[in-house]
Amino acid sequence: MTMEAEAGDRVRITLGRGLFVCVVGPSGAGKDTLIDHARRRLAGEGDRFVFPRRLVTRAASTAEDHDVLSEEAFGAGIAGGAFSLHWRAHGLGYALPRSVEAALADAAVVVCNISRAQVAAARAAFARIAVVSVTAPDAVIAGRLAARGRESAETITARLARGKAVMPDRAPDLTIVNDGSVEAAGEKLVAFLRGALRD
């Protein structure tokens, strides 16, 4: 498969069936928004595309689509091997359910928002993965984080600095600069996922 890179996008293709697609990037880049766009656009295409809900030790919120998990259940799940992947970030526990592995075994394209620091763990856990990096200018990210109302200006500044310090283990397969409309950036993700399935 070959994809042409548009302005601001960098593409490296290493795709296949039964693919785990890691959507990574700093908080406020719009990862969940683009994943939600792709989920809606691909909803009529059967079970070829799977978008597992993350388990997070944070209360339910309209800002993030996830299932709530207590700290106790998170610890028990790790001890009992209940998760396909798990990590901690920003004082919270995150996990992906074992259903991820079943979907990959059925040759689905599985799309998840994970921590950039966990890409290497995903490579170790799953036979085939691709990485989609979502970025945006600092001013755009800061505005989105402020709109959530969960963090102070100082915390947002620290997040931006910390985000620059997190380096991927290798170049992403696709980088989307998400500084325009949801439709424009979201369709790049949709095209990428459809191309992954064809390969």
Side-chain angles (χ1 to χ4, degrees):
M1 172 187 173
T2 301
M3 289 185 67
E4 294 296 327
E6 298 183 21
D9 297 330
R10 300 180 298 280
V11 180
R12 181 176 63 84
I13 301 302
T14 53
L15 301 178
R17 294 177 63 82
L19 184 74
F20 184 80
V21 179
C22 311
V23 180
V24 302
S27 296
K31 302 181 296 295
D32 288 327
T33 299
L34 299 190
I35 289 172
D36 185 59
H37 176 89
R39 181 190 296 112
R40 288 184 281 105
R41 288 279 284 114
L42 299 170
E45 302 189 22
D47 57 2
R48 300 182 301 166
F49 300 98
V50 177
F51 297 84
R53 289 169 63 87
R54 296 192 303 180
L55 307 167
V56 185
T57 59
R58 176 167 54 205
S61 166
T62 57
E64 180 180 6
D65 185 27
H66 67 271
D67 289 333
V68 177
L69 193 67
S70 70
E71 284 287 351
E72 293 75 16
F74 182 70
I78 293 172
F83 307 136
S84 288
L85 198 65
H86 62 84
W87 66 96
R88 296 198 69 90
H90 312 301
L92 300 170
Y94 294 80
L96 301 181
R98 283 287 178 191
S99 59
V100 166
E101 293 162 32
L104 291 171
D106 286 339
V109 175
V110 179
V111 187
C112 290
N113 171 0
I114 73 167
S115 167
R116 288 168 289 178
Q118 294 303 309
V119 171
R123 292 193 195 281
F126 309 120
R128 291 187 176 130
I129 83 164
V131 178
V132 174
S133 175
V134 180
T135 70
D138 282 357
V140 173
I141 291 175
R144 290 171 181 164
L145 291 175
R148 293 178 183 177
R150 295 199 304 240
E151 298 169 287
S152 66
E154 292 77 12
T155 303
I156 290 172
T157 299
R159 268 189 181 271
L160 291 172
R162 188 165 55 244
K164 289 179 171 53
V166 179
M167 300 299 292
D169 63 337
R170 64 186 75 170
D173 299 282
L174 171 68
T175 296
I176 299 174
V177 180
N178 185 26
D179 59 355
S181 71
V182 172
E183 290 72 20
E187 285 304 303
K188 292 174 184 176
L189 178 58
V190 169
F192 184 82
L193 297 177
R194 282 180 170 148
L197 186 67
R198 285 195 299 271
D199 284 8

